[in-house]
Amino acid sequence: MTGNNDPAQIPARPTTPRPAKASMPVVTMIGGGQLARMTHQAAVALGQTLRVLSGTSDEPAAQVSPDVVLGSHTDLDALRRAAVGSNALTFDHEHVPTEHLEVLVAEGVNVQPPPQALIFAQDKLLMRRKLAELGAPVPAYAEVTWAEDVVRFGSEHGWPLVIKATRGGYDGRGVWITDDQDEAEAIVTEQLNKGVPLIVEEMVSMRRELSAMVARSPFGQGATWPVVETVQRNGQCAVVIAPAPELSSAVAEEAEQLALRIASELGVVGSMAVELFETTDGTLVVNELAMRPHNSGHWTMDGARTSQFEQHLRAVLDYPLGDTSPIAPVTVMANVLGAPEAPEMTMDERVHHLFARMPDAKIHLYGKGERKDRKIGHVNIVGVAGSIDDPNYVAAVRERAERAAHWLSYAVWTDGWDVHGE
């Protein structure tokens, strides 16, 4: 099922009767970052408890959740402690060893998404192989075991090319783009000597990057949000435009159906982002998978009837999924990234000034300290009357979102506005 979810269309399923006074569910989320923090907000509204396994007591989710287990996501005993008494165990990042998760599953823990699905979000080589097996569009790629593999790949597929760490990379980390053979050999030699496994991929000739955000329940119900455009700067997502402007209905439908098929074939449960390249000839290529709430879905907190965070909770608990309809012609999210030097003006005062000038701005701050390029929050601007087909309308909403985020980062208005009216 895609798009709007009409409960009348959801087939009946057997349910396990609960005691009349059964408590509301406890969901354990591994990781104490901002995704867990925002999932906690959704859990509060649903009367649930989100327990978090956090590395320290000052991580974003640990600051707000009443149920925190301190420990490492690589420690099986910590994972066990976090799982005790929970109805489902899920993730705000993909870095938990799947061998630990398999032990938890064997011990009766409801791990969602299951380890046999999560592995494809952890390992890019396994992901590429599996997607190719499923017939999904992927760039040409090869495993790298020594420098000559990259040289051979460049000869066959052309330069520039992309070298990636198969595990652990994000926000541009663990990714190298080069058009120089000597540089490529040096990168490969250095990384392999550090024990970093690598793959090499063709440099896709793309028009832009898109993201198809979907959710899937254990029952097999699926739901999609509109496909969005993601704007990257220095390898980081800076802006999300929802829905993606100038995207044909046919390509949007293709992207949604592709994402749903991948989720079903891999057995994903929860929210999942399929990051895509729209090529210059109008075709789609899968770039990455994220089996959790994702930066490209933050707009749903204010711009959709059901946010990705609420939907993730619904999915891992096997609730019927929520209505994913957008509530406006366009919603634009802009990330608030730390400035090279934190402004003298406090964040509280910056929030005050932003609300005074842009009362419709929806601010989401993560409780993080400010440092260069760190994601410390985001701003959503929900468009009023207009059309996604009107580029001036879309540009105006985007400009306001980016102006608001820049103000929160730098305490400087991009249009020269003087906060004191001088």
Side-chain angles (χ1 to χ4, degrees):
M1 186 178 300
T2 63
N4 298 345
N5 291 281
D6 180 355
Q9 299 180 27
I10 301 171
R13 57 180 161 178
T15 57
T16 302
R18 295 186 179 184
K21 294 185 179 181
S23 61
M24 293 297 288
V26 175
V27 174
T28 294
M29 184 164 262
I30 305 305
Q34 64 261 27
L35 299 180
R37 182 185 179 107
M38 290 182 276
T39 305
H40 166 73
Q41 293 173 246
V44 169
L46 297 176
Q48 301 170 1
T49 297
L50 188 81
R51 177 184 300 152
V52 296
L53 176 66
S54 180
T56 65
S57 60
D58 63 350
E59 291 187 1
Q63 296 173 20
V64 297
S65 175
D67 192 347
V68 178
V69 175
L70 295 179
S72 171
H73 62 272
T74 62
D75 181 346
L76 178 57
D77 287 337
L79 293 167
R80 281 177 167 139
R81 284 188 285 115
V84 171
S86 64
N87 298 78
L89 181 144
T90 190
F91 313 95
D92 97 332
H93 61 74
E94 291 100 345
H95 307 310
V96 183
T98 51
E99 59 268 26
H100 290 353
L101 299 177
E102 288 165 356
V103 171
L104 295 182
V105 170
E107 293 174 351
V109 177
N110 178 26
V111 177
Q112 301 293 2
Q116 63 267 27
L118 190 66
I119 187 67
F120 297 111
Q122 293 180 335
D123 189 303
K124 293 179 177 63
L125 179 59
L126 294 181
M127 176 194 68
R128 287 282 178 253
R129 287 173 173 166
K130 185 64 175 180
L131 292 178
E133 177 187 316
L134 297 176
V138 296
Y141 71 96
E143 183 178 8
V144 176
T145 58
W146 66 313
E148 185 60 31
D149 290 330
V150 175
V151 176
R152 185 182 307 111
F153 187 90
S155 298
E156 294 175 357
H157 298 280
W159 299 79
L161 47 72
V162 184
I163 302 167
K164 292 182 178 180
T166 62
R167 287 175 171 263
Y170 69 99
D171 283 348
R173 300 172 179 86
V175 178
W176 301 267
I177 300 172
T178 180
D179 60 2
D180 182 85
Q181 178 176 319
D182 291 337
E183 182 183 41
E185 291 186 54
I187 292 168
V188 169
T189 301
E190 178 185 10
Q191 294 304 313
L192 291 180
N193 286 341
K194 292 179 180 178
V196 178
L198 301 170
I199 62 170
V200 59
E201 297 180 351
E202 68 173 319
M203 184 77 172
V204 175
S205 178
M206 66 172 179
R207 176 189 175 205
R208 57 180 171 176
E209 294 190 52
L210 304 172
S211 178
M213 196 86 200
V214 301
R216 182 175 178 273
S217 71
F219 184 57
Q221 186 192 6
T224 69
W225 288 271
V227 177
V228 303
E229 178 177 350
T230 63
V231 180
Q232 313 290 321
R233 295 189 185 127
N234 300 318
Q236 278 186 302
C237 178
V239 177
V240 172
I241 307 169
E246 300 178 17
L247 185 68
S248 73
S249 58
V251 175
E253 178 71 12
E254 179 187 352
E256 292 181 21
Q257 292 300 322
L258 173 63
L260 284 172
R261 183 166 69 87
I262 291 171
S264 178
E265 294 280 2
L266 300 185
V268 174
V269 169
S271 294
M272 181 181 78
V274 178
E275 298 178 68
L276 300 158
F277 297 134
E278 183 185 13
T279 68
T280 51
D281 62 4
T283 60
L284 298 174
V285 175
V286 177
N287 180 28
E288 304 278 358
L289 303 179
M291 296 179 191
R292 51 173 170 76
H294 188 256
N295 201 171
S296 66
H298 289 353
W299 71 274
T300 64
M301 298 177 75
D302 303 297
R305 296 192 184 280
T306 305
S307 78
Q308 64 167 341
F309 300 102
E310 178 184 333
Q311 196 81 298
H312 190 73
L313 290 169
R314 290 192 188 211
V316 301
L317 292 169
D318 211 9
Y319 286 1
L321 299 182
D323 182 351
T324 53
S325 303
I327 64 172
V330 68
T331 298
V332 178
M333 183 225 71
N335 276 325
V336 180
L337 303 175
E341 294 184 10
E344 291 185 10
M345 184 183 294
T346 66
M347 180 60 78
D348 178 57
E349 189 174 359
R350 280 173 263 166
V351 169
H352 177 101
H353 284 295
L354 178 57
F355 279 155
R357 189 177 184 197
M358 300 171 64
D360 61 319
K362 305 299 289 187
I363 300 172
H364 302 272
L365 297 175
Y366 306 153
K368 290 181 172 182
E370 297 180 62
R371 66 168 184 257
K372 185 177 184 298
D373 293 334
R374 190 183 200 188
K375 291 179 183 176
I376 58 176
H378 69 270
V379 177
N380 286 331
I381 297 293
V382 180
V384 291
S387 170
I388 189 65
D389 298 320
D390 179 354
N392 292 327
Y393 165 73
V394 174
V397 178
R398 175 177 174 177
E399 186 279 329
R400 296 186 75 243
E402 294 198 69
R403 181 171 13 128
H406 189 276
W407 166 257
L408 290 176
S409 295
Y410 294 89
V412 173
W413 290 109
T414 54
D415 61 354
W417 176 270
D418 183 345
V419 297
H420 300 294
E422 299 175 356

